[in-house]
């Protein structure tokens, strides 16, 4: 067996979606030139290549773009700077010592010793197998993202009579897309008493097309042999158990699943990166550095974002921080853990390691109105912000100024939520 070749690079970025490319551009502009982006697909852009709807770029470029246009803006920035991208190249393994094993058709298998690594592998959809829906295994059942790829990139229609399970943003967008292509979307069923998608997508993708959103409903049975012929849905109780008397049959030939996204963290695990059980992504500090020194994470591999613009923003944070790490400027002398109270499901970052201002991104576990979000050290109130409405489908932020962080004497703070009376 021939010896595996080995090369050295200062910064290796895994994933050429908006977060990965934004990280590369930010790292280059922050003073480093030896950058390599590794992408398993045949073109950069990630999931945005199939997102032909508009609504991208308003935050980043101050204009409304489609997904491919948004991705191409970043690709142009990467190309203009001469940053190398290896396409159709798969990363097989990452060690805690930042040794990356890769394979492609042209060069075979080889390793790269990286000074720093940025993880930007994105996320994947949960599949039917994770739902345990009774019934046979007919054709006509797709994840919403797979259906989106068939329609937008290959010109195939998955079906004509559609039910969508789950109200994630991809499912909402595909309800509109299938309708525009001539299909009849009969219902969007959501097991929770609230939608998991953005409010704007509920309005623009469902309400504008009179597509019913059935909250506290789920699919309890699949019908059909060779092809799906229908589904039985039912309302669920507070424990999410189907209520027998509410069962209803809906004739359809297609079921789209939009039941959540999972960060692609198999490589993170091989690098001994500690993962957050709530986000499914890495635990990080405000520099987006993981528990494995010199390995950073950003975008949907870290936590699922509402907007690609925000994933790109996070990529820029990681890109600049990776350069600072390579230059010896990131040497955390403290580590403040951020705990949550359950009403706040999670925060990113989970730790504070520096001395500057820190913006916490957080999601709540239910719909709350007229609430107060507070930061506490023990019983001491550090910061409080009133919110008119909070919903699980909307990412929220709160900024901790450097002066407040400097006043923290312990190694733990807490973020909590109180409903105003």
């Amino acid at each position: 067996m021939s010896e595996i070749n080995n090369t050295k690079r200062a910064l290796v970025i895994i994933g050429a979606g908006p977060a990965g490319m934004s990280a590369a551009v930010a790292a280059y502009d922050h003073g480093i030139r030896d950058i390599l982006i590794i992408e398993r697909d045949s073109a950069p852009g990630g999931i945005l290549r199939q997102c032909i709807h508009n609504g991208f770029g308003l935050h980043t470029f101050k204009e409304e773009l489609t997904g491919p246009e948004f991705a191409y803006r970043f690709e142009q920035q990467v190309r203009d700077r001469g940053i190398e991208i290896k396409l159709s190249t798969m990363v097989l393994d990452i060690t805690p010592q930042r040794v990356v094993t890769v394979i492609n058709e042209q060069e075979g298998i080889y390793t790269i010793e990286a000074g720093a690594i940025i993880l930007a592998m994105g996320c994947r959809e949960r599949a039917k197998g994770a739902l345990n829906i009774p019934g046979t295994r007919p054709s006509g059942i797709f994840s919403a993202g797979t259906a989106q790829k068939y329609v937008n990139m290959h010109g195939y229609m998955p079906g004509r009579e559609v039910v969508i399970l789950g109200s994630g943003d991809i499912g909402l967008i595909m309800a509109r897309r299938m309708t525009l292509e001539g299909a009849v979307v009969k219902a969007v069923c959501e097991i929770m008493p609230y939608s998991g998608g953005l409010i704007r997508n509920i309005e623009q993708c469902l309400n504008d097309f009179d597509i019913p959103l059935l909250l506290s409903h789920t699919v309890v049975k699949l019908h059909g042999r060779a092809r799906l012929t229908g589904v039985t849905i039912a309302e669920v109780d507070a424990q999410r158990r189907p209520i027998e008397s509410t069962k209803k049959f809906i004739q359809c030939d297609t079921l789209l699943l939009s039941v959540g996204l999972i960060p692609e963290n198999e490589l993170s695990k091989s690098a001994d990166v500690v993962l957050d059980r709530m986000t499914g992504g890495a635990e990080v500090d405000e520099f987006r550095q993981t528990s494995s020194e010199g390995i950073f994470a950003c975008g949907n591999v870290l936590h699922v974002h509402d907007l690609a613009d925000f994933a790109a923003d996070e990529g820029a944070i990681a890109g600049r921080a990776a350069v600072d790490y390579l230059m010896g400027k990131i040497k955390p002398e403290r580590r403040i853990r951020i705990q949550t109270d359950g009403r706040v499901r999670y925060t990113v970052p989970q730790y504070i390691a520096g001395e500057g201002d820190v913006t916490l991104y957080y999601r709540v576990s239910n719909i709350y109105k007229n609430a107060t979000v507070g930061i506490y050290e023990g019983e001491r109130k550090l910061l409080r912000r009133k919110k008119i409405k909070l919903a699980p489908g909307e990412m929220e932020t709160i900024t901790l100024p450097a002066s407040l962080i400097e006043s923290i004497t312990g190694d733990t703070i807490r973020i909590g939520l109180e409903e105003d009376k």
Side-chain angles (χ1 to χ4, degrees), residues 4-159:
I4 296 176
N5 293 326
N6 179 273
T7 61
K8 293 186 177 182
R9 303 298 294 260
L11 176 60
V12 174
I13 299 171
I14 303 171
M21 290 193 288
S22 177
V25 170
Y28 185 98
D29 293 348
H30 203 51
I32 196 169
R33 298 293 179 265
D34 185 15
I35 303 170
L36 173 64
I37 304 174
I38 301 174
E39 170 57 50
R40 65 185 177 185
D41 210 340
S42 58
I47 195 67
L48 294 184
R49 296 173 60 214
Q50 67 187 54
C51 299
I52 65 172
H53 54 279
N54 58 8
F56 299 89
L58 289 169
H59 176 78
T60 305
F61 298 112
K62 309 303 183 216
E63 60 181 302
E64 194 170 31
L65 305 170
T66 65
E69 289 171 329
F70 184 75
Y72 185 61
R73 291 286 180 91
F74 280 108
E75 183 183 352
Q76 281 184 310
Q77 292 181 4
V78 169
R79 303 290 188 191
D80 290 346
R81 287 161 176 78
I83 299 170
E84 182 182 1
I85 306 180
K86 280 191 179 296
L87 299 172
S88 302
T89 300
M90 178 72 73
V91 176
L92 302 177
D93 185 61
I94 304 171
T95 72
Q97 296 74 34
R98 301 184 296 281
V99 177
V100 184
T101 302
V102 301
I103 187 171
N104 62 32
E105 188 174 332
Q106 293 75 33
E107 300 161 292
I109 185 169
Y110 63 101
T111 60
I112 304 169
E113 293 182 27
I117 295 172
I118 297 177
L119 306 173
M121 295 89 71
C123 59
R124 66 177 182 270
E125 295 177 282
R126 283 191 175 90
K128 169 185 172 291
L131 302 178
N132 296 319
I133 303 173
T136 54
R137 297 171 64 95
S139 64
I141 302 171
F142 305 86
S143 70
T146 298
Q148 185 182 59
K149 187 172 184 178
Y150 281 157
V151 175
N152 292 347
M153 298 187 73
H154 301 298
Y156 298 146
M157 275 293 284

Side-chain angles (χ1 to χ4, degrees), residues 102 138 147 367 405:
V102 301
I367 293 177
I405 294 170

Side-chain angles (χ1 to χ4, degrees), residues 192-323:
M192 302 301 289
Y194 51 78
S195 171
L198 293 171
I199 293 173
R200 76 177 193 190
N201 283 335
I202 296 171
E203 289 296 327
Q204 296 173 2
C205 301
L206 298 187
N207 295 346
D208 286 357
F209 294 90
D210 295 323
I211 298 170
L213 172 61
L214 306 179
L215 298 176
S216 298
H217 280 73
T218 191
V219 173
V220 295
K221 189 173 182 181
L222 306 173
H223 301 271
R225 292 277 179 189
R227 176 80 189 196
L228 187 72
T229 58
V231 297
T232 297
I233 68 169
E235 190 175 351
V236 298
D237 60 22
Q239 286 71 46
R240 303 179 204 168
R241 296 173 302 197
I243 301 171
E244 189 72 23
S245 62
T246 66
K247 286 184 176 180
K248 175 185 176 182
F249 175 79
I250 299 178
Q251 180 178 312
C252 62
D253 60 18
T254 304
L255 175 67
L256 301 187
L257 306 176
S258 181
V259 291
L261 301 168
I262 306 169
E264 290 268 19
N265 270 298
E266 284 69 28
L267 292 173
S268 308
K269 294 175 185 176
S270 71
D272 288 345
V273 168
V274 175
L275 301 182
D276 185 303
R277 66 182 183 86
M278 294 303 296
T279 65
E283 291 188 351
V284 295
D285 58 27
E286 71 268 34
F287 307 112
R288 301 313 189 262
Q289 184 169 212
T290 70
S291 59
S292 294
E293 182 182 331
I295 300 180
F296 300 76
C298 61
N300 283 352
V301 78
L302 181 57
H303 62 126
V304 177
H305 291 69
D306 299 337
L307 302 176
D309 297 65
F310 296 160
D313 285 350
E314 193 167 68
I317 293 171
R320 290 189 291 269
V323 174

